[in-house]
């Protein structure tokens, strides 16, 4: 039951659709332009770097706030599985971002929210992810490829640090943590299935932090 509560709280936070709201403030429905995705990359391409930065920051923060709230609410009663509950909150935020009920379940792909999950889960996880994403992006200029590799690194980090005892949980709780992380990766890969097809056929659109977009 507590897991569903954390998932629900995260979902409510995730439903704050930054890209959609920012687009509406500028007279457009971001889902009808560019890739049709209500997320950071499409906001960058359609509305510019300022919009992309604002959307990225807000989507990171909404996930982080959900996780922080869960830690505050349940740190005493569920201290032994607090990392797991924080993960459920982060997962809920990703689901709310991807499938917001008030937008007929059409949102983003959850990558900025995943960044928020990583940042607020544990500081040890951040540096490998920064290297993975930005290394991939600046070499290939494919946001999608960097985003997918981040998912794989996230699984590796969860398992590695978990087995090292960093999460301080029983093996059963750790196995659940790993399962949720794998399910989030599957969700991300499913959301990027069109991107994967374009990557395989070398037709994926590149993104530049310049006027080339």
């Amino acid at each position: 039951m507590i897991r569903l509560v954390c998932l629900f709280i995260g979902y409510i936070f995730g439903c704050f659709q930054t890209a959609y709201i920012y687009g509406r403030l500028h007279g457009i429905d971001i889902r009808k332009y560019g890739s049709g995705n209500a997320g950071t990359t499409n906001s960058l391409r359609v509305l510019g770097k300022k919009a992309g930065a604002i959307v990225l920051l807000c989507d990171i923060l909404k996930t982080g706030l959900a996780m922080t709230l869960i830690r505050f609410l349940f740190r005493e009663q569920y201290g032994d599985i607090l990392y797991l509950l924080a993960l459920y909150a982060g997962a809920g935020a990703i689901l709310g971002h991807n499938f917001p009920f008030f937008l007929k379940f059409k949102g983003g792909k959850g990558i900025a929210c995943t960044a928020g999950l990583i940042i607020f889960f544990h500081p040890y996880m951040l540096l490998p992810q920064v290297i993975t994403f930005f290394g991939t992006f600046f070499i290939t200029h494919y946001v999608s490829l960097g985003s997918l590799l981040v998912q794989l690194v996230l699984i590796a980090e969860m398992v590695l640090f978990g087995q090292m005892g960093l999460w301080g949980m029983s093996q059963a709780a750790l196995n659940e943590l790993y399962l949720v992380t794998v399910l989030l990766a599957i969700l991300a890969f499913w959301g990027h299935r069109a991107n994967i097809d374009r990557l395989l056929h070398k037709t994926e659109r590149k993104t530049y932090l310049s006027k080339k977009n």
Side-chain angles (χ1 to χ4, degrees):
M1 186 63 177
I2 187 62
R3 291 158 174 78
L4 292 178
V5 170
C6 295
L7 202 64
F8 178 74
I9 290 174
Y11 181 85
I12 296 302
F13 273 86
C15 281
F16 182 84
Q17 279 292 319
T18 315
Y20 177 79
I21 294 170
Y22 190 95
R24 280 302 189 189
L25 291 175
H26 290 78
I28 70 168
D29 183 345
I30 191 67
R31 300 171 303 161
K32 296 180 180 178
Y33 292 82
S35 67
N37 179 52
T40 299
T41 303
N42 200 36
S43 298
L44 171 65
R45 290 171 175 169
V46 175
L47 295 169
K49 287 186 283 188
K50 179 182 177 181
I54 291 173
V55 170
L56 174 64
L57 179 61
C58 289
D59 286 349
I60 287 174
L61 287 177
K62 71 185 182 186
T63 308
L65 287 173
M67 296 171 68
T68 301
L69 177 61
I70 292 303
R71 284 182 165 129
F72 175 77
L73 291 176
F74 303 122
R75 59 186 174 182
E76 294 184 5
Q77 188 176 2
Y78 296 99
D80 58 328
I81 57 168
L82 202 55
Y83 277 106
L84 178 60
L85 298 185
L87 179 62
Y88 271 104
I94 292 171
L95 291 174
H97 177 82
N98 291 6
F99 311 108
F101 69 92
F102 69 97
L103 292 178
K104 298 181 179 180
F105 304 100
K106 183 182 179 182
K109 295 180 180 178
I111 299 306
C113 290
T114 300
L117 188 155
I118 293 165
I119 292 169
F120 284 86
F121 196 85
H122 196 282
Y124 284 2
M125 301 178 69
L126 184 57
L127 182 58
Q129 296 287 12
V130 169
I131 294 172
T132 298
F133 179 81
F134 286 103
T136 303
F137 174 72
F138 286 120
I139 291 172
T140 68
H141 294 286
Y142 290 135
V143 173
S144 57
L145 180 58
S147 301
L148 293 173
L149 291 177
V150 160
Q151 299 291 334
L152 299 179
V153 173
L154 179 58
I155 295 172
E157 287 181 313
M158 285 293 192
V159 175
L160 176 62
F161 292 138
Q163 296 309 123
M164 289 173 60
L166 191 59
W167 310 144
M169 299 190 297
S170 67
Q171 190 59 52
L174 287 173
N175 291 340
E176 185 178 348
L177 185 88
Y178 304 155
L179 176 60
V180 174
T181 306
V182 169
L183 291 176
L184 288 176
I186 291 172
L187 177 64
F189 272 76
W190 175 256
H192 284 80
R193 59 193 183 281
N195 303 85
I196 294 171
D197 182 68
R198 290 193 294 268
L199 285 168
L200 292 174
H201 290 88
K202 299 182 180 180
T203 58
E204 175 72 328
R205 182 176 177 180
K206 294 187 176 184
T207 299
Y208 298 87
L209 298 179
S210 67
K211 293 183 180 180
K212 287 186 179 183
N213 290 313

